[in-house]
Amino acid sequence: MRTLSTQRGFLAVLAVLLILVIGFIGLAITYLYVGSATATLNFQQADKALNIAEAGFESAARFLLTSSLSGGNIRIGCGSLSGNAGLTNTTFSNGTFTATAVSGNPVYVNTTLSSSINSSTTTIPLTSASGFASAGRIMIDSEIINYGAISGNNLIGVQRGVNANYNTPHASGAAVSQYQCMVDVLGGIPNLTSPIYKREIQQAMQLQEAWAVGVAAGGKFTITRWNRPTEVAWTDSSLTNAANGTLNGISMLSNANGWAVGNAVAPNFSLLHWTGSSWNLSTLAFSCSNQNLNAVSSVYSNEAWAVGVAYKSTGTCTGSGGKHTFTILKWNGSNWTELTPATSPSIPANAIGNANLNAVHVIDTTQSGAGTLGFAVGDTGTILKYNGTNWTVDTSPTSNNLLGVYVVSASEAWAVGAAGTIIEWNGSTWSPVTSPTATQMNAITMVDATLSSHATAGWAVGNSGNAIIYNGTSWSSQNTSTSQNLFGVTLFGTGNDAWAVGAAGAAVHWDGSAWVTLSSGISQQLNAISAIAPQQYPFAWQEIYP
């Protein structure tokens, strides 16, 4: 009996221990469950705080890049970002965000490549990385590149050919530029004063820049600049020019590289080069007096083209009779050269019918690092084609003067001119296109926002403030807010942010719904305009950890 009683006592103790163990396990499971639920909630709220910060950046980007420049909800500059009422302690979802510009922004800096790079290089070697943001976006020639960090004088964590853009080779010494606003955003729940959850991100936004040039006055080259040094405004940037030379064309590759050309000033052509900090006059003796340059097309740091008034071997650019030579100049990175039928590249043979060339556009269709296709257009419907080697006469479907040209791809180009003329090249031949106007069109710009090799939007502008818009299929009238003759047009974005310039310093802006007249900062006639980084797409943010 004692043994049985002992066994029962042992079993009772065992049962108590088992109950305690089961209870402990239950408590542990309950604790783990509650802890897991709490952790899940914490993660969810932290993610929401990150989402709030992301929403803050999207709001800041809208303020910096909106195409609206008048009325309500207009664009602001990077310098006006911090403290903006719409971006400070702003309620979003179950929290708030505040967006500011990082100290020292906007950043405007340039240097050169210390060695050449090919289209697949992922480390960008700079002559000096001094002044560049720790992460962000650069331009080399017209290619737009993102980078994540700096190591010595190298940019690393590189993403090439962004912003609906192609990656291409670049020569040693090519200009490297940066113009951006680094935005810092804090997102907090329930607020940023006493946050339970808080996240911080930073992201850079590339800023707009554009230049316009025109008729000389007061002993100066007429030049005006958009969004620099004063943000969201045009600033008169005219240069002393004792010869009083008028500028007729401009083509900007980047914030640190571009060319402007104009009327001949004895004994040289007018060729101005932008280096990122100043405009410098490049000299080349002309072949005859009045051999004015009408247009320029920048392709790479070591390639640009300029065209102008045809000339006769007798030493004059005017007068009837005799054979004329087309005026085409090429920049090779060091010098300008005037082409002849005997040079390489060559131009068409001298002929009585050789006319003045009014516009030129050359592009690299193969991402090879050199221009492979281009057109120059001129009086009496003249069209010259560049095939990457030489210039030849191309068959034209019109005898009207052609005043503007734009090459979209290897299978599409456009030209406009007198009497509202519009012609399109389909990769092999030029054909007339139905025009909504009979008014002279002086300039054209197009954009392929989808890299489909076909324009998705475009504008042409002309006399008496007339403008026509292309929607990817057809052209229609969309006249501007001025009656002044317009001579230049350029685009930012995908078509809803455009500028046109013209007589009496006219500057009109298209915001996606209407043209608005704004001050260009000068009163002289503006003949041409060129935008830098015409398309803008944001890139990945980076989180800032405490």
Side-chain angles (χ1 to χ4, degrees), residues 424-482:
E424 180 185 6
W425 183 72
N426 64 3
S428 59
T429 59
W430 288 91
S431 302
V433 174
T434 301
S435 176
T437 181
T439 301
Q440 176 171 299
M441 292 286 108
N442 298 314
I444 184 172
T445 187
M446 311 295 287
V447 63
D448 173 12
T450 59
L451 297 183
S452 63
S453 296
H454 298 285
T456 53
W459 283 97
V461 298
N463 290 350
S464 304
N466 278 267
I468 56 176
I469 186 173
Y470 183 68
N471 63 6
T473 304
S474 61
W475 293 87
S476 60
S477 292
Q478 186 61 256
N479 289 341
T480 65
S481 53
T482 181

Side-chain angles (χ1 to χ4, degrees), residues 146-510:
N146 296 337
Y147 67 96
I150 298 176
S151 176
N153 284 324
N154 296 319
L155 305 183
I156 59 176
V158 166
Q159 180 186 8
R160 300 285 302 275
V162 300
N163 218 43
N165 194 265
Y166 292 108
N167 47 316
T168 57
H170 303 283
S172 177
V176 181
S177 63
Q178 182 173 73
Y179 185 28
Q180 69 175 37
C181 181
M182 183 67 79
V183 180
D184 183 275
V185 187
L186 289 170
I189 298 174
N191 54 58
L192 288 172
T193 304
S194 301
I196 299 174
Y197 307 97
K198 185 170 74 171
R199 302 288 285 273
E200 182 179 8
I201 63 173
Q202 286 186 358
Q203 182 171 336
M205 292 302 297
Q206 185 178 7
L207 300 178
Q208 291 184 356
E209 187 178 11
W211 295 83
V213 297
V215 174
K220 292 183 177 182
F221 284 116
T222 293
I223 304 175
T224 187
R225 188 181 189 183
W226 169 250
N227 207 44
R228 180 78 187 172
T230 303
E231 293 187 86
V232 201
W234 286 94
T235 301
D236 184 353
S237 302
S238 298
L239 301 175
T240 300
N241 164 32
N244 223 34
T246 287
L247 297 174
N248 300 316
I250 185 169
S251 177
M252 302 301 298
L253 268 180
S254 71
N255 307 98
N257 199 346
W259 286 96
V261 301
N263 290 356
V265 178
N268 296 311
F269 291 104
S270 289
L271 298 154
L272 283 175
H273 188 208
W274 174 251
T275 62
S277 58
S278 63
W279 287 96
N280 301 312
L281 191 62
S282 182
T283 58
L284 176 66
F286 52 58
S287 296
C288 70
S289 59
N290 302 319
Q291 193 180 3
N292 300 332
L293 297 176
N294 294 325
V296 62
S297 177
S298 300
V299 188
Y300 286 99
S301 60
N302 58 359
E303 183 178 352
W305 301 86
V307 300
V309 174
Y311 64 98
K312 296 192 295 182
S313 58
T314 56
T316 62
C317 294
T318 59
S320 60
K323 294 182 178 181
H324 282 72
T325 303
F326 288 115
T327 292
I328 302 181
L329 278 57
K330 184 184 181 183
W331 168 256
N332 65 5
S334 301
N335 302 291
W336 283 95
T337 302
E338 184 176 7
L339 305 186
T340 71
T343 59
S344 180
S346 65
I347 62 174
N350 299 343
I352 294 175
N354 288 355
N356 299 334
L357 297 175
N358 301 316
V360 61
H361 191 207
V362 178
I363 66 171
D364 177 3
T365 62
T366 61
Q367 294 76 60
S368 62
T372 57
L373 175 67
F375 289 99
V377 300
D379 292 350
T380 63
T382 298
I383 302 175
L384 302 187
K385 180 183 177 182
Y386 180 66
N387 62 5
T389 304
N390 298 306
W391 290 87
T392 57
V393 175
D394 211 19
T395 302
S396 176
T398 181
S399 59
N400 289 332
N401 291 348
L402 295 173
L403 302 168
V405 65
Y406 194 97
V407 185
V408 178
S409 68
S411 58
E412 184 174 316
W414 297 83
V416 296
T421 299
I422 305 174
I423 58 174
E424 180 185 6
W425 183 72
N426 64 3
S428 59
T429 59
W430 288 91
S431 302
V433 174
T434 301
S435 176
T437 181
T439 301
Q440 176 171 299
M441 292 286 108
N442 298 314
I444 184 172
T445 187
M446 311 295 287
V447 63
D448 173 12
T450 59
L451 297 183
S452 63
S453 296
H454 298 285
T456 53
W459 283 97
V461 298
N463 290 350
S464 304
N466 278 267
I468 56 176
I469 186 173
Y470 183 68
N471 63 6
T473 304
S474 61
W475 293 87
S476 60
S477 292
Q478 186 61 256
N479 289 341
T480 65
S481 53
T482 181
S483 59
Q484 300 286 356
N485 292 344
L486 297 173
F487 302 109
V489 63
T490 194
L491 277 173
F492 287 109
T494 57
N496 290 331
D497 194 349
W499 283 96
V501 295
V508 292
H509 178 258
W510 172 258

